Amino acid sequence: AWKEISNKSLKLKIAGDGNLYDHIENRIKNESIQNIELLGYKSGNSLEELIRNASFIIVPSECYENNPMTIIEGYSYGKPVIASHIGGIPELIEEGKTGFTFEMGNVKSLKNLIDSASRITADEYRKMSLEARLYVEKYYSQEIHYEKLINIYQETINGYEE
């Protein structure tokens, strides 16, 4: 999909490693794709810096993930997400507000979405960025986590008392 995008000046930075690393590295070399950078495994400050400097986080998952931390991490830095419409991912993305979803495995759908996202105005991007940050504060703050955890403990304790 990235090879086909309209704006060839856009850079895709892929963080991570795994079974497909060599395959992706070979495709980048064999097809002379200049606008993709394969970074390997990242963590800590280098991962935080990478996310902070990103425009969007792309999650092209083909797995039925329930709650990918990649999306939550992106939101915590105010980064809108472009992700596959599969598993629990659509429940995390408010379409056009915190990001966009595309049909899983559909290269044309992803390419068109990247092209569209690259053309949004600075004002539209600022709004999406703010909404992404507000989403994570609303559903994933320390206070919310604490309340949910205490409720689970209380329900468990009450269950034993009955």
Side-chain angles (χ1 to χ4, degrees):
W2 201 264
K3 190 171 91 169
E4 303 299 323
I5 61 171
S6 300
N7 185 347
K8 299 298 184 191
S9 68
L10 295 177
K11 280 259 194 217
L12 174 64
K13 296 184 179 190
I14 301 174
D17 59 10
N19 298 339
L20 295 176
Y21 186 93
D22 292 337
H23 172 73
I24 295 169
E25 184 176 45
N26 288 333
R27 282 202 62 189
I28 291 169
K29 287 178 186 173
N30 294 339
E31 298 178 31
S32 300
I33 305 172
Q34 302 298 315
N35 56 349
I36 297 178
E37 190 176 348
L38 197 53
L39 304 172
Y41 178 78
K42 296 289 180 188
S43 65
N45 291 338
S46 61
L47 179 60
E48 289 175 22
E49 183 179 342
L50 189 61
I51 297 170
R52 248 193 315 276
N53 292 323
S55 296
F56 285 86
I57 304 299
I58 300 177
V59 183
S61 183
E62 294 183 355
C63 299
Y64 289 90
E65 299 182 60
N66 182 35
N67 189 29
M69 287 306 296
T70 303
I71 294 174
I72 305 308
E73 287 172 339
Y75 283 176
S76 72
Y77 287 96
K79 301 303 172 179
V81 173
I82 297 172
S84 302
H85 193 279
I86 186 173
I89 292 173
E91 296 172 26
L92 297 175
I93 297 175
E94 296 179 41
E95 199 68 37
K97 196 171 178 180
T98 62
F100 306 101
T101 59
F102 63 94
E103 181 185 344
M104 184 269 302
N106 185 326
V107 174
K108 185 176 181 181
S109 175
L110 175 55
K111 177 243 179 248
N112 290 340
L113 199 50
I114 292 167
D115 284 339
S116 294
S118 72
R119 290 190 297 269
I120 65 173
T121 67
D123 188 48
E124 290 170 320
Y125 182 81
R126 274 192 296 279
K127 287 178 184 174
M128 287 186 81
S129 180
L130 177 62
E131 289 296 332
R133 180 63 195 169
L134 291 173
Y135 183 94
V136 83
E137 287 176 9
K138 181 177 179 179
Y139 296 107
Y140 295 93
S141 69
Q142 288 181 349
E143 293 80 16
I144 296 295
H145 180 72
Y146 175 79
E147 283 180 35
K148 288 179 180 178
L149 193 57
I150 291 300
N151 286 339
I152 290 169
Y153 289 154
Q154 194 61 51
E155 288 174 10
T156 302
I157 290 168
N158 290 342
Y160 284 117
E161 292 174 356
E162 293 176 2

